[in-house]
Amino acid sequence: MTQEDILDAVCCGLKTGQLVPDFTMDTYEPSKGDFGEVSLEKLKAAGKWTVLVFYPADFTFVCATEFAALAELYEDFKKSGAEVITVSTDTKFVHLAWQRDEKSLANVKYPMGSDPTGNISRLFGVYNEENGLDLRGSFIISPEGTLLNSEINFYNLGRNMDELLRKLKANIYLSNHGAETCPAKWQKEGDKTLKPGASLVGKVFEALS
């Protein structure tokens, strides 16, 4: 990706299917009780899927419910070959204080990314220039660096983390079965898929029955 492409992406937000420019972020690492750094380049080199979960701010309310739910599923994300990073414009120090004080986050182990400049948030199109907060954006990046899923909610609507995990598993499955597609109720490998072609036109019901 050229510098012009990167500048265009930061300006206008990445689109699904585009390559994501490499980035780094400071983090608070609850699993270690210490600060760290996350690098998309290193995650790709390790063959990891990257799941970014942007949110408005620490010490807010819907966010605590989302992250408690995400903590319950974190091991499933890891077993699927993914790293999950939550991201807001708060500093890593505020992340530490929130995870320490909010009992809903007691089981959080995933890295908590800090984007105080808003540059990474702008890259993904979730940054609100009027208040400096992020919308609730969820993004799945393949080990090759391609943005495969994007979801953005307004501030007052919490996300379904089970659905985020389902999307990750579906993308992993499809990366190995490129001729197939996953229907709406697909949950796991072994569930019925669809193979697009002339014989399937008007026959989706029969294919899934």
Side-chain angles (χ1 to χ4, degrees), residues 112-128:
M112 304 174 74
S114 177
D115 182 32
T117 65
N119 286 340
I120 297 171
S121 303
R122 289 184 182 92
L123 178 65
F124 287 89
V126 297
Y127 187 74
N128 186 332

Side-chain angles (χ1 to χ4, degrees), residues 173-190:
Y173 178 84
L174 292 171
S175 70
N176 296 311
H177 302 82
E180 301 177 34
T181 62
C182 291
K185 292 187 178 181
W186 188 96
Q187 294 290 329
K188 62 186 184 305
E189 186 165 356

Side-chain angles (χ1 to χ4, degrees), residues 28-41:
Y28 172 60
E29 307 276 346
S31 62
K32 302 175 183 177
D34 202 357
F35 301 118
E37 183 181 83
V38 66
S39 161
L40 180 61
E41 183 178 17

